[in-house]
Amino acid sequence: MKEQIKPTTPLKVFHRITNVFSSLFSFKLNPLHFLGAIAIYLLVADTISGIYLYIFYNIDPRFCFSSVEKISASFMGNLMRGVHRYTSAALIFTTLVHTVHVLVTDRFRMFRWVAWITGVLALMVFIVIGISGYILVWDAKAQLIGVLTGKFLSYLPIFGDSIMSTFFGNDIKLLGGLFRMLLYFHVALTIGIVFVLWIHVMRNARPRLVPPKFLWIALTVNILVISFLLRAKSDAGASLASIPFEIHMDWAYFFVYPLLNIMPISTMWLVVSGTVVLLVVFPWIIKGRKVSPAVIDRERCTGCERCYIDCPYEAVTMRRIEGGKKKAVVDESKCSACGVCVGACSFKSITLEDYPWVEVLDEIKARLPKIVAFRCKFTAEIPSRSDVMAYDLPCIGSVHVNHAKEILDAGVKGIFMVGCEQDDCHYREGCKWTVQRYEKTRKPSLHKDVDVTAVRVFETTSVENITKELDKFIADLDTGFKTDKLMILGHNKINYILASIVLIVAVAILYPLTNDLKAFYPEDKAVIILTFKYRSTSSVASARSPIKVELLENGKPIYSREYYPRGIRRDSSVFVYDEILVAPTQAALSFRMVETLFPEKKSELNIDKNLKPKDSVIISYDEHDKNFLYLKDNQ
């Protein structure tokens, strides 16, 4: 027996988890096999509930929070808001697990690079849509997330400090304009994601877009129940005159924000942008062995279209050549070298370098073992037996039914095929087509003269020990066991009770993951926030004067910084945003601002306040009255 290809450690770890789920759900209903379809189901449910909420939502920032609370007060509104909250979070977690699945099962390189890149893009778009949706609620969480997002974007010169100032001050019009823009992007990106997902699956023939009936019904029921029992609640209403120290985190969308507490914004940009770039170029970093595409002998090809129909990636097309005759043609850029087309062709017109059938048959005839075992290289290893001859294949879908007949006619007693679990086939449909061909429900089908008892299929993972099943197959052949139906081994029974419990737990865990209370400022401190736009005096050269800002606490300087006007020629307004953490105390605060080129242009604001832990002092500027303001909640 030739040395078999061994699976990688990450694949083994993932397959051990897969085995647990298959033992509960069966390999036909294992949710890990339908992550992409589940993500699409969640996106649809999220969109439908979002449309319902949009109908009753008031975009005016003065009333949007109250409109959301009014929606939540009704039975249907509360239910739809819960569905929207939980399906959106579940969408991110499902997409992340789907990404891990694609990585560890090596389904991102070569011909799959388009699906990988669009998948990364879809994940980023999902996150942007979710963050914008949270801001539109305009509660304390929305305000803080808006400020933190503004901090992150402020590193880019095109934004600067102007975004953060939108979430404070006394000009509600700025916030209204931002909300209209966010709502536009929220809707536009939701529509645009359909196009991205279309590109994501367009290279797949018969893409799987809907989960099995049991899964989508169970998920729907569980999400409706949790939406009713564990309501999706807002934080306290936002205030333009204060900033919240802590919010209820949705880790599906806000997982990046805690980095702002532990690293500079420049480093955070390096980490985030570096991660995105790494994900995009990953298929070319780990290239792997270049595959040799299937080769079609046009002289033998009859134009039957079986290979064209069965190809999982639409790599085979039919073209009229040589006097108008229709022939199969392979698109090498799409070909995965899976060999599914070899198993579909009854005229021996397709060959595959990794499965030289003629050489394999000659070797089998020379040795004439009792059992010939074909193994997909991503599944369980064949145990070593003196009377078993094993071959690694790209996919068991390449084992043509005529190959089985020739092997058995040569004197071999049985054929044992080990493939992926059907809905987790590395090449999507190879195992599925194999089963249907040998069950005689799909053409080309097993010859009527072949005893189906002599063929056995085991759908499994790379960590399964198949010694017992192989020995049982050999024993059945020795004892003359007979059956008129193809025997398919594997986890093929569902435990409805335990499977339902697993789904209930998976959905219920969304509540703590979307309601985790986290502080973004030290809770034993108070914060003074300077946030304003100031149009300084123009100099002779048309550039405007920089300004110097100082802050004193009980007569002692605690902050001093110079700000410059924006624009290439320094002729625009000055945007100021900064946060100063101070110890809680009875404080006499003095804020001073002076134009450095025109020292006579200066302003001062004095505040007496008993600062308490988690207090915030917001200092802004009224461009109409030309004076600085200490914002209070009743303003």
Side-chain angles (χ1 to χ4, degrees), residues 218-283:
L219 286 171
T220 301
V221 171
N222 287 339
I223 289 172
L224 289 174
V225 170
I226 190 178
S227 298
F228 176 72
L229 296 179
L230 302 175
R231 299 181 58 181
K233 299 178 181 178
S234 305
D235 285 14
S239 168
L240 292 173
S242 62
I243 189 170
F245 272 57
E246 59 186 11
I247 60 172
H248 288 93
M249 284 277 289
D250 184 340
W251 284 100
Y253 291 97
F254 306 149
F255 59 92
V256 173
Y257 290 94
L259 295 178
L260 287 167
N261 286 342
I262 60 176
M263 63 177 62
I265 294 178
S266 57
T267 306
M268 185 174 170
W269 263 101
L270 184 63
V271 170
V272 173
S273 58
T275 301
V276 173
V277 171
L278 177 63
L279 287 173
V280 170
V281 302
F282 206 70

Side-chain angles (χ1 to χ4, degrees), residues 202-378:
M202 72 177 183
R203 284 196 171 189
N204 292 342
R206 300 164 292 276
R208 192 163 49 206
L209 303 178
V210 180
K213 187 176 181 179
F214 168 76
L215 289 181
W216 73 258
I217 290 178
L219 286 171
T220 301
V221 171
N222 287 339
I223 289 172
L224 289 174
V225 170
I226 190 178
S227 298
F228 176 72
L229 296 179
L230 302 175
R231 299 181 58 181
K233 299 178 181 178
S234 305
D235 285 14
S239 168
L240 292 173
S242 62
I243 189 170
F245 272 57
E246 59 186 11
I247 60 172
H248 288 93
M249 284 277 289
D250 184 340
W251 284 100
Y253 291 97
F254 306 149
F255 59 92
V256 173
Y257 290 94
L259 295 178
L260 287 167
N261 286 342
I262 60 176
M263 63 177 62
I265 294 178
S266 57
T267 306
M268 185 174 170
W269 263 101
L270 184 63
V271 170
V272 173
S273 58
T275 301
V276 173
V277 171
L278 177 63
L279 287 173
V280 170
V281 302
F282 206 70
W284 292 275
I285 294 177
I286 306 178
K287 292 183 178 180
R289 182 176 69 89
K290 183 176 176 61
V291 298
S292 299
V295 177
I296 297 179
D297 185 341
R298 292 183 181 175
E299 295 297 324
R300 290 175 176 267
C301 179
T302 64
C304 69
E305 299 189 357
R306 292 309 316 171
C307 57
Y308 162 70
I309 294 171
D310 284 4
C311 178
Y313 303 104
E314 297 185 343
V316 180
T317 56
M318 304 303 297
R319 298 182 188 173
R320 294 193 178 277
I321 56 178
E322 300 175 2
K325 292 183 179 179
K326 191 164 57 175
K327 301 283 186 178
V329 178
V330 175
D331 182 345
E332 295 186 4
S333 66
K334 294 183 178 181
C335 183
S336 65
C338 62
V340 171
C341 56
V342 176
C345 181
S346 297
F347 303 96
K348 299 181 180 179
S349 65
I350 307 178
T351 55
L352 192 66
E353 184 179 293
D354 288 343
Y355 180 40
W357 167 242
V358 176
E359 296 177 20
V360 170
L361 183 59
D362 289 343
E363 190 175 5
I364 291 172
K365 288 180 177 179
R367 276 190 53 184
L368 208 60
K370 178 184 290 186
I371 302 292
V372 171
F374 292 107
R375 165 191 176 253
C376 167
K377 60 185 178 183
F378 296 97

